[in-house]
Amino acid sequence: MNHWRDVAVPQMRHEALYGDRVVRCFAERPASLLAMFERARGERAQHDAVVCEGHRWSYAKTGEAADRLAGAFAARGIAAGERVLMLMGNRPEFLFVLLALQRLGAIAVPVGVREQRPGLAYIAQQCGAKVIVFDDALADRLPDDAEAPSLALRFA
């Protein structure tokens, strides 16, 4: 039984990405995760965007949370092109931070919550992250200033 038989596949096209690699892509698609979110926010503002442990955030409320964070990050000097480590678990705040960073044009560098201090220091050095956003419960894993001198800002 094929339940997908009657589903229309969006128009596809071939694009050259990553140098000379040619891949199939949807012809019409949002330019970014933020663009996709903003479209949904505009069309379905009061519908659920995030549901977690009995709490619900509409697209409007999710956008407001991301907007507030973007303002706070900008006030602390996070700008377009900055790399920001995200040491956060699978929770609503992860999405709020990710959307806020996209709004600023910053580059999110998500890191698994199992990563330990040496790995975090290595990742920070390799990508040149100036900022880390982390869950409070993971603070003991953060590299110190000597291990990751580029990390000038730390947000719990």
Side-chain angles (χ1 to χ4, degrees):
M1 174 183 263
N2 185 350
H3 296 288
W4 297 99
R5 179 181 57 226
D6 298 326
V7 175
V9 176
Q11 184 179 358
M12 304 290 284
R13 69 174 177 225
H14 288 87
E15 293 181 10
L17 302 175
Y18 317 110
D20 61 350
R21 182 174 169 210
V22 177
V23 297
R24 289 184 67 207
C25 299
F26 290 116
E28 305 236 353
R29 64 185 186 278
S32 66
L33 175 67
L34 180 63
M36 186 169 53
F37 174 80
E38 289 299 342
R39 180 176 175 182
R41 183 182 186 184
E43 293 175 359
R44 304 175 58 88
Q46 299 313 313
H47 289 81
D48 288 340
V50 180
V51 178
C52 182
E53 298 178 353
H55 299 283
R56 295 175 178 276
W57 289 264
S58 67
Y59 282 94
K61 293 293 184 189
T62 300
E64 290 167 9
D67 293 344
R68 279 192 305 275
L69 279 171
F73 289 158
R76 296 292 304 270
I78 299 175
E82 304 257 15
R83 284 158 179 79
V84 179
L85 292 182
M86 292 177 60
L87 181 63
M88 302 176 69
N90 186 12
R91 48 190 268 194
E93 291 81 3
F94 182 95
L95 178 61
F96 305 157
V97 169
L98 183 62
L99 291 170
L101 295 175
Q102 286 225 327
R103 183 165 311 291
L104 296 174
I107 301 166
V109 183
V111 179
V113 295
R114 293 183 178 167
E115 193 63 65
Q116 300 297 316
R117 179 185 300 252
L120 287 169
Y122 177 81
I123 293 166
Q125 289 173 3
Q126 290 300 308
C127 74
K130 293 184 179 178
V131 182
I132 185 167
V133 180
F134 60 95
D135 287 340
D136 262 345
L138 303 174
D140 62 329
R141 297 186 190 176
L142 299 185
D144 61 30
D145 292 342
E147 295 168 312
S150 67
L151 288 179
L153 294 172
R154 297 161 189 254
F155 291 97

